[in-house]
Amino acid sequence: MPPKPRRQPQRTCVACRQVAGKRGLVRVVRTPAGEVSIDATGRLSGRGAYLCARRSCWDLALKRKALDRALKVTLDAATVERLAAFGRDLPDEADEGADTDAAMTNQDA
Ligand SMILES: [Zn+2]
């Protein structure tokens, strides 16, 4: 079977490889200036990588250098510390089940 066209982009967490909609993931971006920062708005330009809003994924990504690979950059100590600090503020488990998409289109014209 041919793959379906991807209208709604799905993002993959670089740590656990779980695929989710953009909403459940946090974007980390490498800006054109080479700086790596957390992109809360999802609108910064640059190469992006996604992580679950879950502490364990941030731990894992930093330990395994998954972000380094995804962003093709070597994170310096200050950046690692900044990302680790962000991860520590996240809950241990993402709020699963909040993922229901109730958008339905009724066409009864
Ligand atoms: Zn994850």
Side-chain angles (χ1 to χ4, degrees):
M1 286 232 286
K4 282 188 189 173
R6 306 218 294 167
R7 292 273 161 78
Q8 294 259 318
Q10 294 283 293
R11 309 298 187 183
T12 305
C13 170
V14 298
C16 69
R17 295 283 160 198
Q18 189 174 297
V19 175
K22 261 174 106 170
R23 255 184 316 167
L25 298 171
V26 179
R27 184 168 185 249
V28 178
V29 70
R30 188 195 68 189
T31 67
E35 211 174 278
V36 173
S37 57
I38 291 147
D39 180 13
T41 63
R43 282 167 32 185
L44 294 177
S45 64
R47 186 184 180 87
Y50 292 82
L51 280 171
C52 300
R54 178 163 55 191
R55 191 189 306 166
S56 56
C57 285
W58 290 70
D59 276 355
L60 202 62
L62 293 173
K63 258 182 229 157
R64 290 190 182 170
K65 299 193 180 300
L67 279 173
D68 301 51
R69 280 197 300 273
L71 299 172
K72 301 195 188 303
V73 70
T74 301
L75 299 181
D76 60 34
T79 302
V80 169
E81 182 46 45
R82 198 146 38 87
L83 296 172
F86 183 87
R88 279 195 294 271
D89 278 347
L90 295 170
D92 249 339
E93 288 298 323
D95 195 2
E96 279 161 38
D99 204 41
T100 47
D101 195 357
M104 286 193 280
T105 29
N106 281 325
Q107 293 228 350
D108 47 7

